[in-house]
Amino acid sequence: MRFKSLAIFLIISSFFLTCILSIWKIMATLQGLSFTNLNVTPIFLIGILLSLAFVLIGNKINHLIKIFSLSFISSILYFYLNEASPLWYILGVFLITLFFTNKLKKYSIQSLKEDFISEKIIFDFITLFGIVFFAFVILFPFYIMLVTSFKTQIALLVNPLDFSLDFTKSLTELFKSYFVIFETYNFGRYILISSVVSIGTVIVTLLFAIPAAYAVARLNFFGKNFLSTSILIIYMFPAIVLVIPLYTVFSQLGLRNSIFGLLIVYTATTLPVAIYMLQGYFKSIPKEIEDAGIMDGQNWFGIILKIIIPLSLPAIASVALYVFMIAWNEFLFSLMFLDSPKSFTLSRAIQYLSGDAETPRQYLMAGSVIVTLPVLFIFIYFEKYLVSGLTAGSVKE
Amino acid sequence: MSVSLSKLEKRTAFTLVLPAVLLVFAIVLFPIFANVWISFKDIELKDIRIPEPRAKKIVKSIPENQSELKIIYKLRNSSLIQEIRNVQFQDKLPTNVSPINLDPRCNFQSKKIVCNFGNWQAKYRENFEIIIQSNNGEIIDKKIIKSQKPILSGKADNPLLTTNFTLENFKKVFYENNFVELLLTTFYFTFFGTVGAIIFGILAAQLVNQNIQGRTYMRGILLFPYVGPVVALAYTWTLLLDPNSGTLNALLVNFNIIEQPINLLGQKYITMSILGFEFKLRLALTTVIFFEIWRYFPLAFLFILARLQAIPQSLYEAAEVDGASPIQKFIHITLPQITAIISILFMIRFIWNFNKFEDIFLLTGGASGTRTLPINVYQQGFAVSDIGMGSAVSIVIVMLLLSFMIIYFRLIGKRANEI
């Protein structure tokens, strides 16, 4: 029994070590190191030796001394078994093994006797592996986007694996793509248009949504239930089926290529979800507070303005951010309605750039970084509000 | 008193709701019904403008006579299919200038030439000429004449509002363009995209729900693909997967995992052999599905995580006492608690994936076997410029969607309120 769990422990832990070291190797390859072999077997063997040594030593020496010395020995071993590599790479290997041995902390010969220990080992390492895996898979494209914007097309065609940045170059040289897209491709204008459209959408949506949500949450009127069900159904309806009729009508009304036209469409498509999110919050405000307002002789307008809005600022903020992100990221309508570069939004401008096969990819990626950064910043900064907004906005009555 | 109060309440409610309802009606509901109308019409992109009479003015000097000028109006009907009725024409002349031998259709009074051209057939064209003469024998300034633009007006039917209908569009949708394959591709994409996103969502939620350090950061990072702009993400993936100098292919070739770069987004089929069985995999479609999973598993993750965090810890503690293994805990405690949210997620994501346009459009443009119904709406309506056909495909989408929704409300609608 103890032998079996020991074997599982050794295999799983070394498998995990092999995975992170391979990812490290891939990342190093992208810095221009010319590795041509993943060398999985030796790393796996090192992992097994390391884990075995770890549980055999047990508590005989201080934990810190133990992990440092073990990591150091394995790094040296790794250095000799691997292709020629610079010092910073081996330092990375050392830090990774340090992290790894520290994770082994709770295992010892004694703990391998516990119930279900094999399952627990598997779960533990799958968790660790999963986190590394997910983080890598998610962040890798963003990383490529960012570094490509600092490279040149020619350099990437010569060696598509070299993403190392040359910091000896001047800053203007390094940020050249950004200067080019602002100067040659007019991105300043597109940023302005995108901001105007998105912020405008937020304002107009809130103006329409707050009264409507209040009515749905508080007042009794004919067709109220029908209205709240249709909000959800409308939210499910796809933009693509609206496109052709809207295109024809907008063409005849001269609303294509106009920011105003885009604003109307964005507002109408985000209204259902905004109303839905807000009315849920309004319902949670105690009715007594409003009754007090009615006693004071407030009309409904006053109640909304003086009681409801101040009390539901967090909800309004999360709706505003959510609507802003939808409008900022929107692509389909801007593709259909805008065909003059004068009125492009950022997304449409990037798509337009990519339509020309001659456009060097670093410009495309610089544009992508510019359109992505604001949303990511807003998201990171206001994550708490946004997450509650996302959860409320996407599901059920 | 109470009657008037409830009346007042109703009136207030309507004033509060009406602006939003009207806007949504105009932009969301009206187009859905308009689709039905357009789908029965034989109409192309170039026909949607209301026909209007147009005139291009050309001014020519007459060498023999300096005090005269020839004006040519190139008149035409902007529409190739519709007539314009009762076309009126008007142009102004400067003082002391008058036309000679004016066309019988026209009048000249108080410095204006006014003509009544009657009805113009579709494609109508005419070079209409006027000779003008200076009354006092001075040379007429050509620029002044040229700067004055003629005004034309006429009555024409809006091509969208005519009442000639046809079933041709629907016939074409079902019998041409490989409708069955289109439908199958759409269902593959929708189904596997949805299931994949939910499976990865469960895995990620299970991971983040463990007591790990930096769990809030992890939750933030996991949501990046969902909040990022689709244009930026799709182009990054295109670059990453590019067969010629894309990072992924370069890495795989570098580490000798594959011999030749694979065109992941441009190749329709790839032949795989597993245990001696050879089968064809829809390569480009699979790649697009992976992008879809990558982009939308965060949403599933978020909901499942919220649900997981609401499960009382005491359940797990009780199981611990009973000696349950981690797998048993997952199957007997966690899974039953999240089935409801999973079924809702499945339906919502299924409907949304079914409608997905941008992702496929940006990655492959619908080539290499990735043409789904929404892509087909775009291709018919704007690439082939057959608006009627595009609308007919939209109607097919709406019909399928409605049936999904009916199924949804029948099966899960009641349960949704329990959560």
Side-chain angles (χ1 to χ4, degrees):
Chain A
M1 190 62 206
R2 187 162 137 191
F3 199 72
K4 183 189 149 205
S5 50
L6 181 67
I8 287 177
F9 168 70
L10 291 181
I11 291 171
I12 294 285
S13 63
S14 351
F15 177 72
F16 172 67
L17 182 69
T18 317
C19 286
I20 1 182
L21 281 177
S22 302
I23 290 180
W24 173 237
K25 195 165 205 176
I26 291 170
M27 295 312 288
T29 313
L30 294 181
Q31 290 303 312
L33 295 194
S34 52
F35 293 125
T36 51
N37 198 337
L38 276 178
N39 263 345
V40 180
T41 341
I43 300 175
F44 194 72
L45 288 175
I46 292 177
I48 288 189
L49 288 178
L50 188 63
S51 308
L52 190 63
F54 190 93
V55 287
L56 286 182
I57 294 171
N59 288 331
K60 279 171 205 137
I61 49 174
N62 180 296
H63 178 67
L64 268 183
I65 300 173
K66 186 167 81 171
I67 61 171
F68 267 97
S69 49
L70 278 177
S71 312
F72 188 70
I73 295 167
S74 3
S75 307
I76 305 250
L77 214 59
Y78 184 86
F79 181 72
Y80 280 107
L81 286 173
N82 218 331
E83 297 158 83
S85 44
L87 194 65
W88 62 264
Y89 177 69
I90 294 297
L91 188 69
V93 173
F94 175 70
L95 290 176
I96 289 170
T97 40
L98 203 61
F99 164 78
F100 172 72
T101 41
N102 193 33
K103 285 285 163 204
L104 296 179
K105 200 173 175 178
K106 59 176 161 183
Y107 297 104
S108 63
I109 291 287
Q110 282 75 34
S111 76
L112 289 178
K113 284 181 203 156
E114 283 172 22
D115 292 341
F116 303 121
I117 188 69
S118 336
E119 269 185 32
K120 276 181 191 155
I121 294 168
I122 294 175
F123 260 62
D124 265 7
F125 280 100
I126 284 183
T127 309
L128 276 177
F129 171 74
I131 284 164
V132 175
F133 168 81
F134 274 110
F136 179 73
V137 166
I138 299 246
L139 292 178
F140 189 65
F142 287 91
Y143 168 76
I144 293 293
M145 187 200 291
L146 187 68
V147 284
T148 307
S149 71
F150 293 113
K151 301 291 288 187
T152 63
Q153 174 96 332
I154 302 150
L156 284 175
L157 284 176
V158 172
N159 184 1
L161 289 179
D162 186 3
F163 283 101
S164 61
L165 299 182
D166 187 359
F167 288 106
T168 53
K169 281 194 285 191
S170 66
L171 272 182
T172 39
E173 191 68 11
L174 202 60
F175 283 89
K176 196 172 167 245
S177 318
Y178 293 89
F179 287 112
V180 171
I181 59 169
F182 273 99
E183 277 161 15
T184 319
Y185 296 106
N186 233 340
F187 262 60
R189 187 189 169 86
Y190 304 143
I191 292 179
L192 186 72
I193 293 180
S194 266
S195 315
V196 168
V197 172
S198 313
I199 294 171
T201 306
V202 170
I203 293 170
V204 182
T205 303
L206 286 180
L207 278 182
F208 280 74
I210 292 176
Y214 177 75
V216 173
R218 278 291 194 264
L219 304 176
N220 280 313
F221 58 95
F222 175 73
K224 179 176 154 176
N225 288 334
F226 174 74
L227 191 70
S228 42
T229 328
S230 29
I231 289 173
L232 186 72
I233 294 179
I234 287 171
Y235 187 47
M236 293 275 195
F237 262 95
I240 188 77
V241 304
L242 314 180
V243 148
I244 286 181
L246 284 181
Y247 182 90
T248 50
V249 173
F250 275 34
S251 298
Q252 295 196 347
L253 297 179
L255 282 173
R256 267 177 55 221
N257 280 318
S258 88
I259 293 176
F260 178 69
L262 215 54
L263 197 73
I264 301 178
V265 176
Y266 287 179
T267 305
T269 45
T270 50
L271 254 180
V273 63
I275 295 178
Y276 170 69
M277 283 160 77
L278 284 175
Q279 58 98 20
Y281 195 86
F282 290 170
K283 273 181 188 160
S284 72
I285 297 174
K287 216 173 167 161
E288 291 72 34
I289 302 180
E290 282 164 59
D291 290 341
I294 295 174
M295 292 293 177
D296 289 347
Q298 297 278 6
N299 57 11
W300 270 287
F301 180 72
I303 290 175
I304 292 178
L305 202 65
K306 292 191 183 138
I307 299 174
I308 297 289
I309 293 182
L311 280 177
S312 46
L313 276 182
I316 292 175
S318 86
V319 173
L321 290 167
Y322 187 56
V323 169
F324 178 86
M325 286 201 334
I326 294 180
W328 180 272
N329 290 348
E330 208 286 330
F331 172 68
L332 175 60
F333 287 119
S334 61
L335 169 74
M336 299 291 174
F337 294 158
L338 310 177
D339 34 41
S340 138
K342 273 186 190 162
S343 50
F344 278 172
T345 58
L346 264 178
S347 289
R348 176 73 174 96
I350 293 168
Q351 193 263 343
Y352 183 73
L353 261 188
S354 85
D356 181 3
E358 303 282 299
T359 314
R361 63 179 63 165
Q362 69 268 25
Y363 299 161
L364 212 57
M365 286 300 106
S368 300
V369 169
I370 288 176
V371 70
T372 311
L373 274 188
V375 227
L376 284 196
F377 271 129
I378 290 180
F379 175 69
I380 293 168
Y381 199 74
F382 296 103
E383 197 201 324
K384 209 179 76 192
Y385 290 127
L386 272 169
V387 165
S388 62
L390 286 172
T391 5
S394 308
V395 170
K396 69 158 196 141
E397 304 273 306
Chain B
M1 177 66 193
S2 73
V3 173
S4 74
L5 197 65
S6 84
K7 243 186 187 172
L8 182 66
E9 183 174 336
K10 267 179 196 156
R11 213 189 302 149
T12 319
F14 276 118
T15 20
L16 293 178
V17 169
L18 210 61
V21 169
L22 283 182
L23 186 65
V24 173
F25 189 86
I27 303 292
V28 182
L29 283 182
F30 162 73
I32 292 175
F33 293 112
N35 260 322
V36 181
W37 179 274
I38 300 174
S39 66
F40 287 108
K41 298 184 77 60
D42 178 22
I43 187 163
E44 298 204 354
L45 203 56
K46 59 181 191 303
D47 308 328
I48 58 171
R49 289 198 168 276
I50 300 171
E52 48 183 38
R54 300 220 176 120
K56 197 178 165 196
K57 190 173 182 180
I58 298 167
V59 185
K60 279 188 176 164
S61 36
I62 299 167
E64 310 87 71
N65 193 342
Q66 289 286 327
S67 65
E68 283 182 10
L69 278 180
K70 186 155 108 184
I71 310 179
I72 306 163
Y73 296 97
K74 293 199 160 182
L75 304 175
R76 68 184 182 93
N77 177 348
S78 71
S79 164
L80 302 176
I81 50 161
Q82 274 191 298
E83 71 159 6
I84 308 173
R85 293 183 304 275
N86 196 14
V87 180
Q88 301 288 330
F89 172 96
Q90 191 183 322
D91 200 6
K92 241 178 152 180
L93 292 180
T95 17
N96 293 328
V97 177
S98 55
I100 33 177
N101 300 332
L102 196 59
D103 194 283
R105 291 172 294 184
C106 303
N107 280 317
F108 179 70
Q109 44 182 235
S110 57
K111 294 193 283 181
K112 279 181 191 160
I113 303 174
V114 180
C115 309
N116 185 350
F117 287 127
N119 295 357
W120 283 0
Q121 297 304 312
K123 298 183 195 166
Y124 178 86
R125 269 167 199 284
E126 180 188 344
N127 281 356
F128 177 64
E129 291 182 11
I130 296 177
I131 300 199
I132 51 170
Q133 179 189 47
S134 152
N135 295 343
N136 47 18
E138 281 175 14
I139 301 170
I140 310 172
D141 191 352
K142 258 170 92 175
K143 276 183 192 155
I144 295 179
I145 302 290
K146 231 183 160 175
S147 65
Q148 180 67 42
K149 295 274 177 277
I151 303 164
L152 285 99
S153 64
K155 273 195 170 168
D157 294 325
N158 188 333
L160 289 172
L161 299 180
T162 54
T163 46
N164 42 339
F165 295 110
T166 168
L167 273 174
E168 228 16 65
N169 292 325
F170 284 98
K171 269 189 203 155
K172 274 197 265 174
V173 169
F174 292 118
Y175 296 114
E176 284 176 25
N177 295 310
N178 244 335
F179 185 69
V180 177
E181 200 199 318
L182 188 65
L183 215 54
L184 276 180
T185 312
T186 314
F187 275 102
Y188 281 142
F189 173 77
T190 312
F191 182 76
F192 289 110
T194 309
V195 170
I198 288 176
I199 289 176
F200 277 92
I202 296 175
L203 288 178
Q206 192 69 22
L207 288 178
V208 175
N209 199 35
Q210 314 285 323
N211 262 326
I212 53 157
Q213 298 134 331
R215 140 176 158 175
T216 32
Y217 295 108
M218 196 60 199
R219 187 179 74 172
I221 289 173
L222 281 171
L223 286 167
F224 276 12
Y226 184 68
V227 296
V230 60
V231 176
L233 301 178
Y235 286 136
T236 309
W237 269 60
T238 323
L239 254 182
L240 208 59
L241 304 179
D242 182 69
N244 297 316
S245 57
T247 321
L248 187 71
N249 272 308
L251 272 177
L252 291 175
V253 170
N254 180 52
F255 288 119
N256 291 318
I257 296 168
I258 53 169
E259 278 169 21
Q260 289 291 319
I262 304 172
N263 192 351
L264 285 161
L265 285 169
Q267 200 173 322
K268 190 170 179 184
Y269 290 110
I270 190 167
T271 316
M272 309 262 284
S273 69
I274 291 176
L275 305 168
F277 290 105
E278 284 208 343
F279 69 97
K280 274 172 152 185
L281 183 75
R282 297 278 292 263
L283 186 63
L285 187 63
T286 312
T287 317
V288 173
I289 290 173
F290 270 103
F291 178 75
E292 198 65 9
I293 295 174
W294 181 78
R295 215 163 104 70
Y296 293 105
F297 89 85
L299 190 78
F301 152 76
L302 198 63
F303 284 104
I304 297 167
L305 182 66
R307 190 73 204 92
L308 284 181
Q309 285 173 341
I311 301 175
Q313 211 51 43
S314 56
L315 286 178
Y316 290 106
E317 282 155 15
E320 189 89 20
V321 173
D322 291 345
S325 74
I327 293 177
Q328 282 171 331
K329 280 191 223 163
F330 179 76
I331 292 176
H332 296 290
I333 301 174
T334 314
L335 263 188
Q337 295 274 351
I338 58 173
T339 39
I341 190 78
I342 287 177
S343 53
I344 291 174
L345 271 173
F346 182 83
M347 212 46 221
I348 289 180
R349 281 259 44 103
F350 192 86
I351 289 175
W352 279 346
N353 275 347
F354 187 79
N355 300 329
K356 207 77 232 162
F357 168 79
E358 294 98 323
D359 305 49
I360 308 177
F361 176 78
L362 290 167
L363 284 174
T364 65
S368 342
T370 55
R371 196 165 56 114
T372 59
L373 280 170
I375 292 284
N376 202 29
V377 173
Y378 177 82
Q379 286 184 341
Q380 298 295 344
F382 298 93
V384 187
S385 323
D386 192 341
I387 293 266
M389 198 46 191
S391 272
V393 183
S394 302
I395 292 296
V396 173
I397 293 181
V398 171
M399 287 302 158
L400 286 169
L401 263 182
L402 281 178
S403 44
F404 293 149
M405 281 188 192
I406 291 169
I407 297 172
Y408 172 66
F409 282 113
R410 282 270 162 82
L411 290 181
I412 306 161
K414 283 172 207 145
R415 279 176 76 184
N417 294 325
E418 291 165 17
I419 309 166

